[in-house]
Amino acid sequence: MNDQPKQDINNEVVEEAVVEAVVEAVVEAPVEKQTIEQVSEDKPVLEEVSSKKTIKDYLSKDLFAGIKVISGKEDQVEVEKLTDDILEEYQSTFNDISENQIISAKVIGISDNDVMVDIGFKSEGLISRSEFNNKDLPEIGSNIDIFLEKFEDTDGNITLSKYKADFIKRWDELKDFCEKAEPVQGKIIKRVKGGLVVDLGVIQAFLPGSQADVQPIKNFDDLINKEFDFQIVKVDELRKNLVVSRKAILEESLNEKRQELMTKIEVGAQLQGLVKNITDFGAFVDLGGVDGLIHITDFSWGRINHPSEIVSIGDEITVQIIDYNQETSRISLGLKQLVENPWKTIPDKYSIGDIMTGKIVSIMNYGIFIELEKGIEGLIHISEISWTKNIQNLPDQYKVGDSLESKILFIDANEQKISLGIKQLTQDPWNDISSQVSIGDKKEGAVNKVTKFGAYVDLGKDIEGFIRNTDFHWTKNPIHPKEFVNEGDKIKFVVVDISDKDRKILLSMKDHLAENPWSDIAEKYSAGDKLKGTVSAINDTGVVVDMGDDIVGLVPSDKISKELKKDYLPSIEPGGTVDLLVVEVKEKDKNVILMLDQPDVD
C-alpha cells in the first residue's frame, strides 16, 4: 500500500522534468505564430499558439494527457530529439528565402525616408523612398516585389532593393520583346553623343542617330520628350545595355504603304504627299513610302527661280503623276498640271505689237522676264532694251518687282514663248543718225561705263560712242582704261568712225589732244640705236619700257633669250633703268620694238 503512492509521486516528478526540459529548449519570448508538437504514440497534433502568450504559458495548461512519460532511468536522447524537432519545425519557415532573388514583401510602414517591409524573416527590412515614385508609393498592407541582396550587411541589416527587382523583371520582358521581334513603346528623353537616350520604363536604351528616322534628321532636339514605337535590335546581357531602332519600325510601315501605293500609281493619278527635301532643280515628295520628284519646270506654268518660292519642307500637297518608270521606280510629279494651261488661250488674248505692262519676276544676264498674267511670262532680251546703248549689267537699271512697259514682238503658244521689247516703244535713232553725228565731229560728253576694252560715252538722244584702249593716247597703251578715264568724267573726243551695220560709233581722245606724232618718232629712232629706258611693267607679252617724251616701247618676250630670262630678267623690276637697242619702229601699228642691250651671259 505504501509503495503505490511513492510510485505516483515519482511519475509526477518525471512529468515536471519533461515539461521543464521542453520549455528550456524553446525561446520564451512572444512569437508571431508558432506551433508545438504534441507527442503521442498514435498521431502528432499541431496547434497554434497565441502571439500574446509565451510557450511557457501555453504549456502551463493541462495538456499532458498525450505526452509520453520518460522515466529517469531512460536515456536522455529522447529529450534531445524532441527539442531538435521543435527547432527544425521553426526554422523550416525560412528555407524558401535566399539572397540575390526577387521575393514578395508586405508593406508594414512608410516614413519620410524609408518604406518598411516584412519578408517573413526574423527582422523587418527598409527600402529607401528614393526607389519609389512619390506618386506610386505602395499602400500599407500591400505586397510588392523586391530584390533581396543580403541577409545582413556590415551593420547587420537586411539589404533590399525595389529598383533592382523592377529592373530584372523589365529586363526579362524586354528580352522577350527582342526575341519575338515585337515593338516596344518608349520616350526619347535626351541627346547624347551619336544619338539619343530612350526611356523604356525602368530601363534606358540607346538610339543611334542613324536609326532615329528613315530620313536624315536636321534637329534631333525636335524628338525629345516624344513617344514612339521602337524595335530592340541589340541586347548586351553582360553590360545590361540595349540598342533600339525607330527606323526599323518606320521602314516596316513604309514597306506596307509602298506595296499598297504601287497599286495606285499611274500617269494622271492625283496623290497626297509630303515635301521632304528641296534642291535647286526641284523638290522631293514622299507619297507614303515612295518618293517622287517635282522638277522646277513643273511647279508653275510661269517661271520661278527656286522651288522654295512655291513649297516648303513639311508641306502637305496634292500632286499629279506625269511620268512613271516601273523598271527604275522613278516617279515624276507636277503641280502646274493640276490647273488649266493658260497658254491655250494666249492667241485669243495677245497679238504682236500689243503694248503690255507687267511685273519683273526675274533678271538674268541675257534679259528680263516679265509676268503678263499668272503663269504667263515674256522675255525682254538684252538686245531689245536699247537701240544704241550697250547694256552690261541689267540689275543696275532694273529691279525684281518693278512694273515695266514693253511691246510684244513674237508669240509661240505651243513653245510657250513670248518675246518683248523696250526699245521698240521709241523711234530708232539710227534712222536719223547722220543728222546727229558725223565723222570728224569734235564733241564733249560724259563717260557712261568703263570696261577692260574701253569706255562708253554719252552722245545725247540715247546714243553712245565707244573709245577703244588704243584711242586714248598716241603712244601709251593702258593696261586698263581707268588709267585715263572713269565713269562720270566729262571728256573731249573726236568721232572717228560710224558703222551703220554694227550700229557703232567709234571715238578717239588722242586725235583731240594732239596731232599724230608717229611720223616724227619714225624719223627720230632707227634700227640699232642705243638708248636707256625705264621699266613700266613686266608681263607675258614682254617688258614695257618708257622711252621718254610719252613714248612707250616694248621688249617682246620672244626677243629675250633663255639666258637673260633666267639670269637677268629676275634682277630688273618696274622703275628700274635698262639699256636698250631699237629693233623697229612700226608707224602704222604705232609700236616701237626694242631689245635688251646686255653683255653676253656665260
Side-chain angles (χ1 to χ4, degrees):
M1 295 292 294
N2 294 334
D3 293 338
Q4 185 65 38
K6 185 177 181 179
Q7 183 177 0
D8 294 338
I9 293 172
N10 290 335
N11 290 337
E12 291 177 359
V13 171
V14 172
E15 291 174 355
E16 289 179 359
V18 171
V19 172
E20 289 178 358
V22 171
V23 172
E24 290 175 357
V26 182
V27 179
E28 291 187 2
V31 294
E32 188 71 20
K33 186 176 182 183
Q34 183 60 50
T35 61
I36 295 293
E37 182 177 2
Q38 293 180 324
V39 183
S40 69
E41 297 179 354
D42 300 328
K43 182 178 181 182
V45 179
L46 295 178
E47 182 173 324
E48 291 186 355
V49 180
S50 171
S51 62
K52 295 183 180 180
K53 296 180 181 180
T54 65
I55 297 174
K56 193 171 185 179
D57 292 335
Y58 178 79
L59 296 177
S60 65
K61 295 182 180 180
D62 187 15
L63 301 174
F64 306 109
I67 297 177
K68 182 179 180 181
V69 177
I70 303 173
S71 67
K73 297 179 181 180
E74 294 182 70
D75 194 342
Q76 294 298 319
V77 174
E78 292 293 334
V79 177
E80 293 176 358
K81 182 177 183 299
L82 177 61
T83 303
D84 291 341
D85 290 343
I86 295 173
L87 292 176
E88 183 179 353
E89 178 70 21
Y90 172 73
Q91 292 178 345
S92 65
T93 60
F94 307 113
N95 288 342
D96 59 343
I97 300 176
S98 61
E99 294 181 348
N100 296 320
Q101 70 171 345
I102 296 176
I103 61 175
S104 179
K106 183 177 182 180
V107 178
I108 60 175
I110 299 177
S111 67
D112 292 339
N113 299 320
D114 302 295
V115 174
M116 182 180 293
V117 296
D118 178 13
I119 64 171
F121 197 53
K122 62 183 179 180
S123 62
E124 293 78 12
L126 297 177
I127 304 173
S128 174
R129 283 184 61 158
S130 63
E131 294 198 35
F132 296 85
N133 187 325
N134 285 330
K135 296 181 180 179
D136 299 325
L137 277 174
E139 295 181 357
I140 295 177
S142 63
N143 290 319
I144 60 173
D145 288 336
I146 59 173
F147 184 77
L148 174 60
E149 296 186 64
K150 291 183 179 179
F151 281 122
E152 290 188 3
D153 60 12
T154 55
D155 296 325
N157 298 320
I158 302 175
T159 304
L160 306 172
S161 174
K162 171 70 164 55
Y163 170 76
K164 288 186 177 180
D166 292 342
F167 186 96
I168 292 172
K169 290 192 295 182
R170 185 58 173 164
W171 180 262
D172 291 338
E173 290 174 355
L174 294 176
K175 285 200 303 181
D176 190 53
F177 276 114
C178 181
E179 291 172 359
K180 295 180 179 178
E182 294 180 359
V184 59
Q185 190 176 58
K187 182 178 182 180
I188 296 176
I189 58 175
K190 65 180 177 180
R191 288 187 62 178
V192 293
K193 183 178 180 181
L196 303 129
V197 175
V198 180
D199 183 4
L200 300 178
V202 182
I203 296 177
Q204 295 180 354
F206 176 63
L207 172 64
S210 61
Q211 297 298 312
D213 205 329
V214 292
Q215 297 296 329
I217 296 177
K218 294 184 178 180
N219 188 3
F220 285 100
D221 291 337
D222 293 340
L223 300 177
I224 294 177
N225 293 325
K226 292 184 178 180
E227 293 186 355
F228 303 100
D229 283 339
F230 299 93
Q231 188 77 47
I232 300 174
V233 295
K234 183 178 180 181
V235 177
D236 188 335
E237 190 71 50
L238 180 63
R239 296 182 176 86
K240 291 294 186 289
N241 289 336
L242 296 175
V243 179
V244 297
S245 170
R246 177 170 173 252
K247 180 180 180 180
I249 298 292
L250 295 175
E251 285 181 340
E252 182 178 353
S253 176
L254 286 175
N255 286 333
E256 295 176 359
K257 293 181 179 179
R258 185 179 291 113
Q259 296 301 322
E260 180 182 356
L261 180 64
M262 297 305 288
T263 62
K264 300 179 181 179
I265 290 181
E266 59 181 14
V267 175
Q270 295 182 13
L271 300 173
Q272 291 290 118
L274 186 73
V275 179
K276 62 188 294 186
N277 192 25
I278 297 176
T279 68
D280 291 338
F281 57 83
F284 289 94
V285 179
D286 182 2
L287 301 174
V290 178
D291 290 348
L293 172 66
I294 307 175
H295 193 267
I296 190 170
T297 57
D298 290 310
F299 278 91
S300 171
W301 292 109
R303 180 183 181 83
I304 64 171
N305 294 317
H306 197 272
S308 58
E309 297 176 17
I310 307 294
V311 297
S312 300
I313 293 178
D315 286 352
E316 291 187 6
I317 58 175
T318 301
V319 293
Q320 181 172 311
I321 298 177
I322 58 178
D323 191 23
Y324 172 53
N325 188 319
Q326 289 186 338
E327 294 181 358
T328 61
S329 296
R330 296 183 64 177
I331 304 174
S332 297
L333 307 173
L335 279 177
K336 71 181 184 182
Q337 288 79 7
L338 298 175
V339 297
E340 186 179 359
N341 185 353
W343 284 93
K344 292 181 179 180
T345 60
I346 287 300
D348 300 328
K349 291 182 178 180
Y350 304 113
S351 301
I352 294 175
D354 289 349
I355 296 176
M356 308 296 297
T357 299
K359 181 177 70 175
I360 297 176
V361 293
S362 180
I363 300 176
M364 311 300 290
N365 58 359
Y366 55 84
I368 304 171
F369 286 93
I370 306 294
E371 184 181 64
L372 303 177
E373 63 175 72
K374 190 67 176 178
I376 302 297
E377 294 175 4
L379 171 65
I380 303 174
H381 193 270
I382 193 170
S383 62
E384 304 297 342
I385 292 177
S386 174
W387 290 110
T388 56
K389 288 184 177 180
N390 185 277
I391 307 298
Q392 295 290 327
N393 195 357
L394 290 172
D396 289 345
Q397 301 182 48
Y398 303 97
K399 302 297 179 185
V400 173
D402 289 350
S403 293
L404 192 62
E405 191 176 59
S406 60
K407 180 180 284 191
I408 296 179
L409 307 178
F410 175 78
I411 298 175
D412 188 336
N414 293 329
E415 294 293 329
Q416 299 182 6
K417 291 182 180 180
I418 296 179
S419 297
L420 306 172
I422 296 176
K423 69 182 184 182
Q424 287 79 7
L425 298 174
T426 61
Q427 292 293 325
D428 184 357
W430 280 96
N431 294 335
D432 194 27
I433 192 68
S434 60
S435 64
Q436 299 181 50
V437 63
S438 301
I439 295 175
D441 287 351
K442 293 184 178 181
K443 292 179 174 292
E444 184 176 354
V447 177
N448 285 340
K449 190 172 186 65
V450 178
T451 71
K452 64 180 180 179
F453 304 109
Y456 291 94
V457 182
D458 184 14
L459 300 179
K461 295 184 179 181
D462 208 27
I463 299 175
E464 281 185 337
F466 184 68
I467 303 177
R468 296 173 298 188
N469 285 347
T470 55
D471 289 319
F472 284 105
H473 198 278
W474 283 109
T475 58
K476 293 181 178 179
N477 291 323
I479 297 176
H480 196 280
K482 288 187 176 181
E483 295 178 22
F484 294 103
V485 297
N486 289 290
E487 292 178 9
D489 288 352
K490 288 282 187 178
I491 61 171
K492 293 180 180 181
F493 53 85
V494 175
V495 178
V496 294
D497 190 27
I498 299 174
S499 175
D500 290 330
K501 180 180 178 181
D502 299 327
R503 289 178 174 259
K504 287 184 179 180
I505 301 175
L506 297 180
L507 312 176
S508 173
M509 284 179 62
K510 65 185 181 183
D511 289 282
H512 187 277
L513 294 173
E515 295 293 333
N516 186 349
W518 279 98
S519 59
D520 296 336
I521 293 173
E523 293 180 1
K524 183 177 180 179
Y525 296 101
S526 301
D529 288 350
K530 293 186 177 183
L531 57 98
K532 290 185 179 291
T534 302
V535 177
S536 297
I538 302 174
N539 51 44
D540 293 340
T541 60
V543 181
V544 181
V545 180
D546 183 356
M547 300 167 57
D549 297 328
D550 286 338
I551 302 173
V552 175
L554 175 67
V555 180
S557 180
D558 58 3
K559 297 292 184 182
I560 304 174
S561 66
K562 291 183 179 179
E563 291 79 7
L564 288 177
K565 287 181 179 179
K566 178 181 178 182
D567 299 323
Y568 177 65
L569 200 59
S571 67
I572 63 176
E573 57 186 23
T577 301
V578 292
D579 292 324
L580 303 163
L581 287 174
V582 177
V583 176
E584 181 182 6
V585 177
K586 295 183 177 181
E587 181 179 350
K588 183 178 180 181
D589 297 332
K590 300 179 179 59
N591 286 330
V592 177
I593 305 301
L594 307 170
M595 66 179 296
L596 296 172
D597 184 18
Q598 294 296 322
D600 294 337
V601 179
D602 295 335

